[in-house]
Structure formats: C-alpha cells, structure tokens
Amino acid sequence: MPVNISTYQPFNLSLHLADNALILGHRNSEWTGHGPILEQDIAISNIALDLVGQARNFYQYAAKLMNESSVDGKENITEDTLAYHRDAWDFKNCLLVEQTNGDWAKTILRQFFFSLYQFYLYEQLQNSKDSTIAAISEKALKEVTYHVKWSSEWVIRLGDGTNESHERILKALDDLWKFTEELFIPADYELEAANKHVGIDPSLLKSKWFQKVIEIFEEATIPIDNLSGLHSIGFYGKEGKHSEHLGYILAEMQFVQRAYPNCEW
Amino acid sequence: MTITKNDIVKILSEVMDPEVPVLSIIDLGILRDVKIIDDRVEVIITPTYTGCPAMDMIQTNIRSVLEQNGFLNYKISTILSPAWTTDWMSEKGKEKLKSFGIAPPMPKQHICNPALFHEEEAIQCPLCQSYNTKMISRFGSTACKALYQCNDCHEPFDYFKCH
Ligand SMILES: [Zn+2]
C-alpha cells in the first residue's frame, strides 16, 4: 500500500487501537456458549461485541486515511481488508490481548488489566486533536467503564473467594503479569501521535493504572509483594512481533475471507 | 414543492429499532439531525452502543422509507460525538418501553459511580410495578439492557440501563 505520509496521519495509531480491540473481542467471543453460567456467558459476549464495535470504528477510520493518502487516490481499503487481509506481522496489538483464554480466572484478569488500561487511555484520547479519534474514544469510554467495573468485581470475587478460586487467580497473575509492561512502553507511532497531540505517551498512564491494580488486589487478598518490578519479555506485539498464539487466532478468524475473497452473506 | 425538515422527520418516525420494535429512532434519540440542502437530504444518526448490531439494519430501513416516499437524493451520516445517552430517549419512548415489558432508564446516570458491588437504585418491575427487584446481571439480552428479576411476581425483566 503506497502511502504519502508527508502530512501526518494517525493510521498506525488507529490500527493499533483497532487490533487491540479486535483480538481481545475475538478471544472473548470464544467464550460464547461456554461461559460458566448463562449471565456471565452473556456478559463476556457483550464485552466482545463492544470491543469489536470499537475495532470497526478504528479500522474504518484507518481505511479512510489510507485511501485518502494513497498516491493515485485509487486505493479501496475497507475495514474488512484491514481485519481479514493482513498477516500476523502487520498486526499491532499488544501481547496481552492475544494470550489464550485459559480458565475463567485468566480471562477475567486479562480483561481487568486491559479494560483498566483502556479506561485511562480513552480518558486522555477523548481530548485528542484528531476529532475522529476523540469521538470514538469518548463513545467507547462509557462502555469501558462498565468493563472495568465488571472485571474488578470478578477479580475480587475470585481472589477473596474459595481456596480454589484464590489459587486460580494467582496462577493467572503468574501467567499474565509479564505482558502488562508492554502496555506502557510507547511504540514509535504512539510517540509520534503524542507529539502531534493526537495520541498520548502511554508511559504516563502507568502509575495511575498500577495504583488501581494494587487497590483492587488488596481488596481481593491477592499478595502484591512480587509486583513491584514490571519485568520484560523482550519483544512487543505493538511492533508486530507476536507470540505463537496470534497466528492461530488469525487462521480461524480470516479463513473464510482468505478462502473466498470478498464473499458476503 | 419544497421539502421541509419536518416532512423528513415524519417519514423517519416510521423507522423502528429492530431490537425494541415499539421504539422509533426518534424515541430512542438515534436520529440526531436532518439537513436539507437544495433537494438533497442528509440524515444524521448516532449508535446507542459502539458495537450495536442494529445500526446496519436501521440504515437499511432509513433508506427504504426514504425511497418509498420518493426521496432518492439522500445521504446517511453517522456521528459518534457527543456520545449517545439515555437522556435523549423521549418521555413518550419511555412509556412505550414500559408497556412493552422493559423497564425504562432511570433519569439519573449511575454508570459514573465507581464503587464496586454498588447497590443499584431500585428499578420498578414493568409487570407488577413493584420496586422490590434485584439485578441479576449488568449485561442483558442486548448491549443496552441489564437483566433484573422481580422479588414479588418473580418474573425476570430487562432494564434499559442508563448510559
Ligand atoms: Zn413484578
């Protein structure tokens, strides 16, 4: 896709925000029909729907920017092109959202970490100088507020629940904590967008996020002694370097469009 | 004949929400504006929720009522800001919702309350009018509803939650 970037266009930022939402939305949708009880099956499916909705808005915007800035003005990129016809290394989602669902505790903790991050992020992005990014963020923030509340309550319920639920949430923490660091390490396109007052530097969100995590963990009786340092795993999904899981997600999600390009039903 | 905004709004009042078929897009506050420039009509709508799957069908239905009424030169635009709120639902819409068996949104927003396990305000059962009800799940049959149950008549019901 030849693009003219002489004037700044936040399509990498839009793609990153869309990819995060799409991949977690897809992960959550794997629970549909398999939730622990009906109400929570519906809850996680609703959250999936909200996330896919956010993804669509950001993809539509990225597609518009790409079409407008294509050299001959003749590109015809759509939200579907971006969701279904890119490969794993083109995806800019963080590693956290592509991790496997595991048990309910792992799904809940992943949602809690991510929703809380999205909450502080959208809170800032609703003031973006880019009016489309601001509008999508303002709209999504209302939904994310629900996601934070729901997932926080579940973290507390599991942490301060039975011995087994407590053990499971500790195991989930052990699996997921290492992926939280990436959320706050800015990718080039995030810094570039921050410089133009279109995005923000995510490292500025870290202390607020961490404080809230500690607060919820204390209520959930989850020990916090080992959380002090965020440890690195050395590569970042935001830059297109993914764990083995993303390939499997894309293989399933993109199969129909790859086998029958542009099919509709 | 000159087309007026009122003519178009009247036509669009026939477009119902496919998930709550007693409410029109005007009752719900989904229709934000109608602009007429020369004889071109622009219909401006906003989604209730970002991922609301009804929006595609609503757009199709807008197209079909406009065309049935002879308007072929039109454009449908979607805006996201300001974000939709239940405050935009008309009083008439709230009445219709209640008689359909869905508890209408309370006038005050409580989504901003950050407290966890927060006791929701008493929601009136749309079937027996009792306020002795409990929330079963914050997420209901669609993104815009929560699931409640009445402690008196024991019927479960949807609550169109504040947003
Ligand atoms: Zn009742």
Side-chain angles (χ1 to χ4, degrees), chain B residues 125 127-130 150 152-155:
Chain B
C125 169
L127 306 163
C128 76
Q129 325 304 327
S130 164
C150 177
D152 286 334
C153 74
H154 302 294
E155 285 291 332

Side-chain angles (χ1 to χ4, degrees), chain A residues 42 57 138-139 142-143 153, chain B residues 47-48 50 81 84 117 140:
Chain A
I42 293 171
N57 283 321
E138 179 197 336
K139 177 85 194 155
K142 295 180 98 175
E143 293 145 21
E153 288 175 358
Chain B
T48 53
T50 306
S81 179
W84 181 85
F117 303 106

Side-chain angles (χ1 to χ4, degrees), chain A residues 47 50 54 119 123 126 137-150 152-153 212, chain B residues 48-50 83-87 105-121 123 135 138-139 143-146 148 159-163:
Chain A
I47 292 173
D50 287 341
Q54 292 172 23
F119 178 83
E123 205 176 47
Q126 64 178 338
S137 303
E138 179 197 336
K139 177 85 194 155
L141 183 60
K142 295 180 98 175
E143 293 145 21
V144 170
T145 307
Y146 266 118
H147 306 171
V148 169
K149 204 169 158 180
W150 177 85
S152 304
E153 288 175 358
K212 188 73 188 176
Chain B
T48 53
Y49 279 70
T50 306
W84 181 85
T85 153
T86 35
D87 296 345
M106 303 283 284
K108 199 181 95 205
Q109 301 222 8
H110 24 111
I111 186 168
C112 298
N113 191 325
L116 301 175
F117 303 106
H118 165 65
E119 282 291 317
E120 304 284 327
E121 259 177 285
I123 303 300
M135 186 178 74
R138 209 182 292 293
F139 297 90
C144 49
K145 295 182 224 118
Y148 273 72
Y159 165 55
F160 203 113
K161 65 194 173 196
C162 282
H163 190 66

